Amino acid sequence: MKPIKIGIVGVGKIVRDQHLPALAGNGDFELVCAASRNASIDGIANFATIESMLEGVADLDAVSLCMPPQYRYDAARKALEAGKHVFMEKPPGATVREVEDLIDLAEQKGVSLFASWHSRYAPAVEAAKEFLAATRIRSARIVWKEDVRRWHPNQDWIWQAGGLGVFDPGINALSIATHILSPMYVTKAALQFPANKDAPVAAEIDFRTAQGTPVKMELDWLQTGPQSWDIHADTDAGEMVLSSGGAKLAINGEAVHEQPEREYPALYERFAQIIRDDHSDVDLAPLQHVADAFMLGRRIAVEPFYD
Ligand code: NAP
């Protein structure tokens, strides 16, 4: 089969860290162009805007949208209207409804839309899902605590409305939780907003599954020292800990699954597959939970944040 000609929009940290190596190692794709206002990629055609890229590369098949979420919808709409398959970085949009609109448009245009949730492809996630499916969960706790200064230096968009603040990493936890736990809903939330920012720096969210199982989530963006990206479950078959962002699984303290990370290669394999199979893959559950936490949550003002 001919490779899928793809262009990248919004060349920043995640493009250089993950998209370029993943695409270089995947024969299903040929990276032919990029659109970015202030950056370029060597060896391919570069444009300042998505409009000029779509006009300038007539045989383009697909685009990857890697700009901040507040700007994803307009770009996605343009690409879908031009008949391109669309890969959306997480989170797929700034609101739930705008992504639903894109799902409808992709269907009308007969192209594939992919909401990529990279953490779902972490190595131990499927093993955790299998373990939990075979037992009864009594309670679960999601602990996602990292140092924003280390992972997101100088990213203004992340602190602006729609940038999600601590939910930018937190939505990765939710993308795993919604894959491995029963459907759940938010019952209570408290969000801490620095006095000088429009997005939260910490949050506590309570969920309950339809069966009444309590799930607690703790998010903190000021964690120095060891970083925590863990999901704990107390089950009839023992204590499960899915740690390191989904890379490691332990049951009753014993490591049962640990393999090298290959989230982005797996995401592009999945994107090629849905294009071949002529369908879309857009799960809105993680984004909906974040929206619900903002809707239901108490807002607590905390001290200003400076980089
Ligand atoms: P970033 O380094 O800030 O890069 C995003 C790029 O988007 C910028 O370099 C910018 O390039 C472009 N852009 C277009 N319109 C923009 C606007 N109005 N304001 C700011 N930038 C704009 O961000 P990133 O870390 O790569 O994150 C991008 C997306 O990937 C986010 O949705 C994030 O959640 C997701 N993601 C990030 C990571 C990570 O570790 N960083 C991991 C997984 C997923 P130009 O100025 O050249 O246009």
Side-chain angles (χ1 to χ4, degrees):
M1 249 175 59
K2 275 200 317 185
I4 299 159
K5 289 189 192 248
I6 191 164
I8 286 187
V9 188
V11 178
K13 184 171 187 307
I14 197 60
V15 167
R16 300 211 185 272
D17 289 356
Q18 297 289 350
H19 288 255
L20 296 183
L23 282 167
N26 186 326
D28 283 332
F29 291 95
E30 181 187 354
L31 178 63
V32 294
C33 55
S36 214
R37 300 161 309 171
N38 303 295
S40 58
I41 298 173
D42 289 346
I44 58 172
N46 286 280
F47 300 85
T49 64
I50 184 167
E51 292 88 337
S52 53
M53 186 181 88
L54 293 171
E55 252 180 58
V57 187
D59 58 351
L60 191 64
D61 301 305
V63 297
S64 269
L65 302 180
C66 304
M67 70 287 286
Q70 299 99 318
Y71 313 103
R72 196 138 24 245
Y73 174 81
D74 284 344
R77 200 166 178 96
K78 282 172 189 145
L80 292 170
E81 274 169 350
K84 312 302 175 194
H85 306 291
V86 173
F87 176 125
M88 297 186 287
E89 249 304 345
K90 52 70 44 169
T95 69
V96 174
R97 187 64 197 107
E98 73 188 39
V99 186
E100 288 173 337
D101 184 61
L102 296 174
I103 296 172
D104 292 346
L105 183 58
E107 188 161 339
Q108 275 168 37
K109 291 287 175 182
V111 292
S112 299
L113 181 66
F114 183 34
S116 71
W117 295 113
H118 65 87
S119 293
R120 266 190 196 169
Y121 295 80
V125 168
E126 289 308 317
K129 186 178 168 83
E130 254 174 58
F131 171 78
L132 293 175
T135 184
R136 187 179 69 91
I137 307 170
R138 298 170 189 162
S139 65
R141 193 160 70 95
I142 302 165
V143 183
W144 231 251
K145 296 185 175 183
E146 63 172 49
D147 181 358
V148 63
R149 292 184 176 90
R150 178 161 154 203
W151 302 105
H152 300 280
N154 308 314
Q155 287 188 333
D156 291 337
W157 62 264
I158 216 160
W159 287 108
Q160 291 162 2
L164 300 191
V166 73
F167 284 92
D168 176 82
I171 205 168
N172 297 334
L174 287 170
S175 74
I176 299 176
T178 51
H179 187 64
I180 67 174
L181 301 173
S182 306
M184 56 187 193
Y185 51 92
V186 178
T187 56
K188 190 176 163 193
L191 280 57
Q192 297 182 18
F193 283 71
N196 60 342
K197 300 290 181 193
D198 287 325
V201 67
E204 282 189 13
I205 305 107
D206 289 359
F207 298 87
R208 199 163 54 214
T209 69
Q211 295 76 36
T213 309
V215 178
K216 272 197 174 293
M217 183 176 195
E218 298 162 31
L219 303 178
D220 187 352
W221 235 359
L222 299 177
Q223 169 107 336
T224 51
Q227 309 283 284
S228 318
W229 296 292
D230 306 329
I231 298 180
H232 305 253
D234 177 24
T235 79
D236 284 355
E239 181 68 24
M240 183 207 87
V241 184
L242 178 63
S243 61
S244 303
K248 298 179 188 171
L249 181 66
I251 311 293
N252 290 326
E254 195 184 321
V256 295
H257 196 101
E258 193 173 343
Q259 276 174 7
E261 183 278 308
R262 57 181 309 278
E263 294 175 13
Y264 277 76
L267 283 179
Y268 276 101
E269 286 161 17
R270 175 74 182 145
F271 188 38
Q273 185 198 344
I274 67 169
I275 292 172
R276 273 197 300 272
D277 295 350
D278 203 14
H279 64 77
S280 288
D281 177 354
V282 185
D283 181 9
L284 280 165
L287 187 65
Q288 182 69 66
H289 284 317
V290 173
D292 288 353
F294 274 84
M295 183 156 56
L296 192 66
R298 274 192 313 128
R299 176 187 279 243
I300 301 162
V302 295
E303 61 188 41
F305 174 87
Y306 299 102
D307 266 322

